């Protein structure tokens, strides 16, 4: 994999007081792929996403791609969608472009209308989030993430609080739109093993370190014993 095709994390560290959350993360993520970060609650998975996106500043380490420091243009999808209740669907989607202030009104309207059509949301453009189903809210949040044409979308627990059927719908949405739009997915999820079906790589974060990095198919055969112990209770419930 060439330098230009890989997002490289080197020595990422983050602490809160004396608590070390990220103890020096090294990871090569192929651009265009889907990587899912798994691990116990409170191990720093969301902190890792925020350090990659720039929402949080790491104490040390670098994120590079295409020979330049920093991640390529990326968007962040929060656990609960973070839609603004007082804004319509089209206003929520347009918000990132309006905040940047660089796109003209006609360009904003064109890009928003295109995404509304592609994500089958045109009929809901004047509605408010409270009037939408949970699945439609996810699509609105994805449309807002896509409106800036990011190379990477970071998903922080996108299926939190959803029943199994709705979880699969969200995962299918992410898989199909990644294929259509070509963005890189870096996701945090507790949904093991469901998430293995849509992921190209799995990264296991434990004790502030990436202790496993590989394909879902190789996960059980090649992973260390402590990861197998972590996975066994979740796999046995399926």
């Amino acid at each position: 994999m060439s330098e230009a095709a890989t997002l490289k994390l080197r020595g990422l560290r983050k602490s809160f007081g004396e608590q070390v959350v990220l103890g020096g993360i090294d990871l090569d993520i192929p651009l265009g792929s889907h990587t899912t970060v798994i691990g116990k609650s409170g191990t720093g998975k969301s902190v890792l996403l925020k350090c990659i996106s720039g929402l949080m500043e790491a104490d040390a380490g670098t994120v590079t791609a295409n020979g330049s420091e920093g991640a390529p243009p990326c968007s962040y999808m929060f656990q609960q969608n973070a839609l603004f209740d007082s804004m319509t669907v089209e206003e929520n989607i347009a918000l990132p472009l309006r905040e940047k202030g660089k796109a003209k009104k006609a360009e904003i309207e064109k890009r928003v209308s295109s995404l509304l059509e592609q994500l089958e949301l045109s009929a809901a453009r004047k509605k408010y989030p409270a009037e939408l189903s949970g699945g439609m809210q996810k699509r609105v949040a994805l449309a807002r993430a896509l409106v800036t044409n990011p190379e990477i979308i970071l998903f922080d627990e996108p299926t939190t609080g959803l029943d199994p059927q709705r979880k699969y719908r969200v995962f299918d949405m992410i898989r199909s739109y990644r294929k259509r739009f070509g963005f890189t997915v870096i996701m945090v999820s507790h949904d093991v093993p469901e998430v293995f079906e849509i992921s190209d790589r799995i990264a296991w974060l434990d004790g502030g370190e990436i202790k496993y990095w590989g394909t879902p198919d190789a996960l059980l055969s090649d992973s260390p014993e402590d990861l197998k112990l972590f996975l066994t209770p979740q796999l046995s419930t399926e």
Side-chain angles (χ1 to χ4, degrees), residues 33-82:
S33 68
H34 180 139
T35 293
T36 298
V37 184
I38 63 172
K40 298 175 183 177
S41 297
T43 56
K45 299 185 299 298
S46 295
V47 171
L48 177 60
L49 289 194
K50 290 175 181 175
C51 287
I52 292 172
S53 69
L55 289 174
M56 183 178 290
E57 186 177 355
D59 298 331
T62 60
V63 178
T64 60
N66 303 323
S68 301
E69 187 170 348
C74 59
S75 293
Y76 195 105
M77 276 192 64
F78 295 88
Q79 289 186 20
Q80 303 298 334
N81 303 324

Side-chain angles (χ1 to χ4, degrees), residues 117-170:
E117 182 178 349
Q118 291 182 80
L119 273 69
E120 300 178 349
L121 290 166
S122 295
R125 68 186 305 151
K126 296 297 183 182
K127 292 185 177 182
Y128 292 89
E131 301 177 89
L132 306 178
S133 67
M136 290 186 74
Q137 289 182 22
K138 292 287 184 187
R139 275 188 281 153
V140 174
L142 179 58
R144 184 179 61 186
L146 286 167
V147 78
T148 57
N149 295 323
E151 291 185 42
I152 299 172
I153 300 183
L154 302 112
F155 293 85
D156 192 350
E157 296 285 2
T159 56
T160 295
L162 300 182
D163 61 45
Q165 186 175 15
R166 288 186 173 89
K167 285 181 182 180
Y168 279 111
R169 288 177 182 171
V170 170

